[in-house]
Amino acid sequence: MTKDVPQTPSSSVPRHVAVIMDGNGRWARQRGKPRTAGHRAGVRSVRRIVRQAARRGVEVLTLFAFSQENWKRPEVEVKLLMQLFRLTLDREVKTLHKNGIRIRFIGDHAGFSDDLRAQMQKAEALTADNDGLVLVIAVGYGGQWDLLQAAQRLAAEGRPIDAENLSAALSTAEFPDPDLLIRTGGESRISNFMLWQLAYTELYFSPVLWPDFDDDAFAEAMAWYVGRERRYGRVPEAA
Ligand code: IPE
Ligand code: IPE
Ligand code: MG
């Protein structure tokens, strides 16, 4: 929700951190390895950032793992990414659950296999009552898809398309909007991530490739956030 947000200097810990995990392919190429090796190395960074976010008291961590446009990649890469996704869920969910983390998935999951969808639902159900960090995995996600599905749902139900209803129909309705967006990998673009929800998010672009994004890199991003003054279109308090 972007309405009624108080004008604040950012409190020291962002409630919601969203991450565009980019640069796996280049990381691998630099090492003369196939792109898939970069995706494997990226999983280690996922583990690290989940641990750090939980430790620092972040409420929601959203990780952009696979965009709708990523379906356009070569079939072998898409297959590997799906395999890796399944394997990682298999390996990690128990530990996440033990650590009190609640897992949620957002995106258009129609293209996923029944097995994978079932696995995702199982992880959500298992961790539904946990009260630690909420880990949101955006897979098959697109910001335009999210806005469209929300608008179409409201239209189908004959409800007015106003800001409140639209926010509440987005796949992210239950979470606060991101306070901090981190994109690794050196590109300064949103790549169809949360288009509505990022309206007043602080945007942090890091040149570090995702597999190299370590605890220090995350600490740097968090420290940068503390220095932002969030005005939401208003004038500074002292003015
Ligand atoms: C991000 O890394 C992972 C996904 C999009 C799934 P990339 O695979 O985009 O890596 P680069 O940007 O080609 O280096
Ligand atoms: C954005 O990375 C999507 C994810 C990290 C999941 P891409 O590599 O797909 O973005 P572009 O193609 O460089 O914009
Ligand atoms: Mg990329």
Side-chain angles (χ1 to χ4, degrees), residues 123-201:
E124 286 187 333
L126 176 72
T127 61
D129 295 329
N130 290 344
D131 58 7
L133 174 77
V134 182
L135 175 61
V136 183
I137 317 271
V139 277
Y141 183 85
Q144 294 177 343
W145 162 82
D146 205 357
L147 279 167
L148 279 172
Q149 66 80 24
Q152 283 165 354
R153 191 138 52 92
L154 293 178
E157 291 167 4
R159 293 163 61 209
I161 301 179
D162 58 27
E164 199 176 331
N165 285 345
L166 194 73
S167 272
L170 291 170
S171 64
T172 51
E174 64 189 286
F175 319 120
D177 286 337
D179 299 292
L180 171 64
L181 172 80
I182 299 171
R183 180 176 185 141
T184 65
E187 308 291 359
S188 307
R189 56 178 174 249
I190 299 298
S191 299
N192 195 18
F193 197 30
M194 301 177 175
L195 299 178
W196 173 276
Q197 300 90 328
L198 294 174
Y200 270 103
T201 302

Side-chain angles (χ1 to χ4, degrees), residues 16 21 43-44 64 75 106 119 125 165 173 195 201 210 218 221:
H16 184 173
M21 310 184 288
V43 175
R44 290 198 289 274
F64 198 10
E75 204 183 318
I106 56 170
Q119 207 182 350
N165 285 345
L195 299 178
T201 302
W210 176 247
F218 183 59

Side-chain angles (χ1 to χ4, degrees), residues 4-216:
D4 300 329
V5 260
Q7 180 191 7
T8 47
S10 40
S11 68
S12 54
V13 179
R15 290 183 66 194
H16 184 173
V17 177
V19 187
I20 301 177
M21 310 184 288
D22 194 28
N24 295 349
R26 279 163 285 165
W27 183 92
R29 202 173 53 218
Q30 284 174 2
R31 285 160 180 77
K33 292 179 177 174
R35 295 177 55 82
T36 50
H39 297 315
R40 285 201 185 87
V43 175
R44 290 198 289 274
S45 287
V46 169
R47 251 184 242 120
R48 272 198 299 260
I49 201 168
V50 170
R51 200 165 45 228
Q52 284 299 318
R55 191 170 290 168
R56 286 165 174 272
V58 170
E59 288 172 41
V60 182
L61 175 69
T62 299
L63 301 178
F64 198 10
F66 190 81
S67 74
Q68 275 203 312
E69 290 75 22
N70 290 150
W71 285 114
K72 297 177 192 158
R73 292 189 177 196
E75 204 183 318
V76 283
E77 180 165 347
V78 172
K79 257 197 183 143
L80 179 283
L81 283 168
M82 292 298 146
Q83 246 171 38
L84 195 60
F85 184 34
R86 295 187 58 150
L87 198 73
T88 307
L89 283 181
D90 243 359
R91 282 189 186 150
E92 307 291 334
V93 167
K94 248 193 224 145
T95 314
L96 293 169
H97 180 47
K98 219 169 54 203
N99 292 330
I101 290 167
R102 181 152 72 88
I103 304 172
R104 298 282 285 111
F105 297 95
I106 56 170
D108 179 359
H109 303 146
F112 294 178
S113 69
D114 292 346
D115 281 2
L116 185 48
R117 277 207 303 265
Q119 207 182 350
M120 286 154 66
Q121 275 159 15
K122 229 171 105 185
E124 286 187 333
L126 176 72
T127 61
D129 295 329
N130 290 344
D131 58 7
L133 174 77
V134 182
L135 175 61
V136 183
I137 317 271
V139 277
Y141 183 85
Q144 294 177 343
W145 162 82
D146 205 357
L147 279 167
L148 279 172
Q149 66 80 24
Q152 283 165 354
R153 191 138 52 92
L154 293 178
E157 291 167 4
R159 293 163 61 209
I161 301 179
D162 58 27
E164 199 176 331
N165 285 345
L166 194 73
S167 272
L170 291 170
S171 64
T172 51
E174 64 189 286
F175 319 120
D177 286 337
D179 299 292
L180 171 64
L181 172 80
I182 299 171
R183 180 176 185 141
T184 65
E187 308 291 359
S188 307
R189 56 178 174 249
I190 299 298
S191 299
N192 195 18
F193 197 30
M194 301 177 175
L195 299 178
W196 173 276
Q197 300 90 328
L198 294 174
Y200 270 103
T201 302
E202 301 295 331
L203 308 178
Y204 182 85
F205 297 103
S206 165
V208 177
L209 303 175
W210 176 247
D212 288 331
F213 198 79
D214 58 12
D215 292 355
D216 288 346

